[in-house]
């Protein structure tokens, strides 16, 4: 089994509660699952923040156009990109658990 296969199996597993609620020492599975979610959360923040900045600059350029109302109707009303991992819920909930494997 490859690392890719192992990680995918852990992430697709429906045993999250047993992996995440392990008391005491952290398991390898819990560390892998948390690393996966921490990576997702950090990537979501990075992409969302960059996209929000892009949209902000796009709106500023639209405001400077002669036909700004038309341009705003073309670019739409969105001011940010919502990604549920942005909140960092998994890291906040389980990130401070002991990792003394």
């Amino acid at each position: 089994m490859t690392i890719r296969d192992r990680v995918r199996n852990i992430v697709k597993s429906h045993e999250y509660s047993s992996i995440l609620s392990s008391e005491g020492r952290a398991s390898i599975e819990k560390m892998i699952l948390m690393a996966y979610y921490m990576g997702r959360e950090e990537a979501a923040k990075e992409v969302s923040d960059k996209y929000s900045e892009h949209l902000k600059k796009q709106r500023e350029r639209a405001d400077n156009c002669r036909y700004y109302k038309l341009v705003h109707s073309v670019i739409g009303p969105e001011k940010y990109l919502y990604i549920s991992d942005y909140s960092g819920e998994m890291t906040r909930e389980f990130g401070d658990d002991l990792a003394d494997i």
Side-chain angles (χ1 to χ4, degrees):
M1 180 178 283
T2 65
I3 292 173
R4 182 180 303 135
D5 294 335
R6 180 79 188 266
V7 170
R8 284 183 179 155
N9 286 341
I10 291 170
V11 171
K12 289 180 181 178
S13 170
H14 295 289
E15 301 172 12
Y16 281 6
S17 58
S18 64
I19 293 172
L20 293 175
S21 67
S22 60
E23 297 293 326
R25 295 171 44 128
S27 66
I28 294 295
E29 288 82 8
K30 183 175 183 177
M31 296 286 288
I32 291 170
L33 188 61
M34 285 306 304
Y36 171 80
Y37 275 104
M38 288 172 68
R40 281 181 56 119
E41 291 168 352
E42 289 174 16
K45 288 179 183 181
E46 182 179 336
V47 170
S48 185
D49 290 346
K50 284 182 179 181
Y51 189 68
S52 295
E53 185 62 28
H54 172 75
L55 289 174
K56 179 183 172 186
K57 289 178 181 177
Q58 190 176 40
R59 292 192 167 290
E60 289 170 359
R61 289 189 304 273
D63 289 339
N64 292 322
C65 288
R66 180 175 181 179
Y67 301 105
Y68 67 93
K69 289 182 182 178
L70 175 63
V71 176
H72 277 285
S73 71
V74 171
I75 64 174
E78 292 82 14
K79 294 183 179 180
Y80 61 91
L81 175 67
Y82 175 74
I83 302 172
S84 61
D85 291 324
Y86 190 93
S87 69
E89 185 176 327
M90 289 290 279
T91 301
R92 189 173 51 255
E93 184 71 28
F94 301 104
D96 292 328
D97 289 2
L98 295 176
D100 56 344
I101 297 178

